[in-house]
Amino acid sequence: MSAVELEPSLIVKKKASEISNELKGTSIFLVGMSCSMKTTLGELLADALRYYYFDSDGLVEQAAGGEAAAKSFRDTDEKGFRDSETEVLKQLSSMGRLVVCAGDGAVQSSTNLALMRHGISIWIDVPLDMLANEILKTEASSTISQATSNSDTFIEVMEELSKVYYEMRKGYGTADATVSLEKVAAELGCEDLSTVTAQDMAIEVLKEIERLTRVKKMMEEAARPF
């Protein structure tokens, strides 16, 4: 790997080291629509902060006996499935030094939202059209170009994603901070949103975490008696 390729990761690690002391091992919960950016970002942050990485949906699936078993469990006993999601979050929230990619179940109940209050929650907001193209590329046997956006299939995927997004938006909005890919792209002067990297997003997440820890410290100092 060249020095040029190393530079973005080194910048992320440098920023992570700057906030590490103030963070004091507080866990980070990433919420938002499932996508490769969110997953890659979670793994990158965990590496930079020297944290452990977990995907809450993956843990629920593992407990259920695999992806197919988890889907069957959800279809036949939704309450039981939701209870499993809560149990996973309960265990994760009791630990420190974690970066957790939280599934949608994390924002669907007041109990789960309260559990994430044991850490810092960040909404990773990625445009739905990017998510739709990612889904279609993953499912297709051949590469699907941006021209897919004019197809009926793309429209169907967008409609389904929009439905989920609007159901979850209120829950996502309870996060301590939001990091929008579109906003990061605008700040970097990127017209093509796909050129925004996980490293770019990680820097923004770390800046938000730094801001939140500073606010918390100020509030704690203000509450101290004279």
Side-chain angles (χ1 to χ4, degrees):
M1 185 177 287
S2 70
V4 174
E5 291 173 319
L6 277 172
E7 185 179 0
S9 293
L10 289 176
I11 293 172
V12 173
K13 288 183 178 180
K14 181 176 182 297
K15 187 64 181 176
S17 68
E18 291 173 358
I19 70 170
S20 181
N21 288 339
E22 293 299 328
L23 191 55
K24 299 177 182 178
T26 302
S27 292
I28 311 299
F29 293 89
L30 303 181
V31 302
M33 303 285 282
S34 296
C35 62
S36 60
M37 172 60 80
K38 182 180 163 190
T39 301
T40 303
L41 179 57
E43 294 170 342
L44 178 61
L45 287 169
D47 179 63
L49 290 166
R50 297 183 179 181
Y51 276 22
Y52 294 100
Y53 171 79
F54 287 102
D55 181 303
S56 65
D57 278 350
L59 292 176
V60 172
E61 289 177 1
Q62 184 179 344
E67 184 177 353
K71 185 179 183 304
S72 177
F73 181 25
R74 183 173 184 171
D75 291 341
T76 57
D77 183 6
E78 185 170 356
K79 184 182 183 302
F81 183 83
R82 295 302 180 196
D83 288 344
S84 293
E85 290 179 318
T86 298
E87 182 57 33
V88 165
L89 275 177
K90 184 178 180 180
Q91 293 182 31
L92 293 174
S93 66
S94 68
M95 303 164 66
R97 304 190 67 82
L98 303 182
V99 174
V100 179
C101 270
D104 285 338
V107 300
Q108 288 184 294
S109 79
S110 57
T111 299
N112 293 351
L113 291 171
L115 288 170
M116 287 195 293
R117 289 297 175 194
H118 290 277
I120 295 174
S121 56
I122 310 287
W123 176 11
I124 306 304
D125 192 11
V126 177
L128 296 185
D129 58 338
M130 290 184 68
L131 301 184
N133 274 315
E134 179 177 311
I135 290 170
L136 291 171
K137 287 176 182 178
T138 301
E139 293 180 348
S141 57
S142 60
T143 301
I144 298 176
S145 68
Q146 291 298 317
T148 305
S149 61
N150 296 320
S151 72
D152 291 338
T153 304
F154 179 87
I155 293 172
E156 290 171 1
V157 173
M158 278 292 292
E159 288 177 348
E160 185 61 30
L161 286 174
S162 296
K163 179 182 177 182
V164 174
Y165 177 82
Y166 286 110
E167 286 177 355
M168 303 296 169
R169 184 174 57 177
K170 185 176 180 181
Y172 295 154
T174 64
D176 296 309
T178 300
V179 173
S180 163
L181 189 146
E182 286 183 307
K183 184 177 178 181
V184 171
E187 291 175 348
L188 294 174
C190 300
E191 294 185 6
D192 182 355
L193 299 185
S194 66
T195 61
V196 176
T197 67
Q199 286 83 3
D200 295 328
M201 295 287 284
I203 290 293
E204 195 62 29
V205 169
L206 292 171
K207 286 179 180 177
E208 286 296 328
I209 292 172
E210 182 178 37
R211 179 184 64 80
L212 290 165
T213 54
R214 283 178 177 173
V215 170
K216 181 180 179 182
K217 185 177 181 180
M218 289 172 60
M219 292 176 67
E220 288 174 346
E221 290 177 349
R224 290 175 185 169
F226 291 106

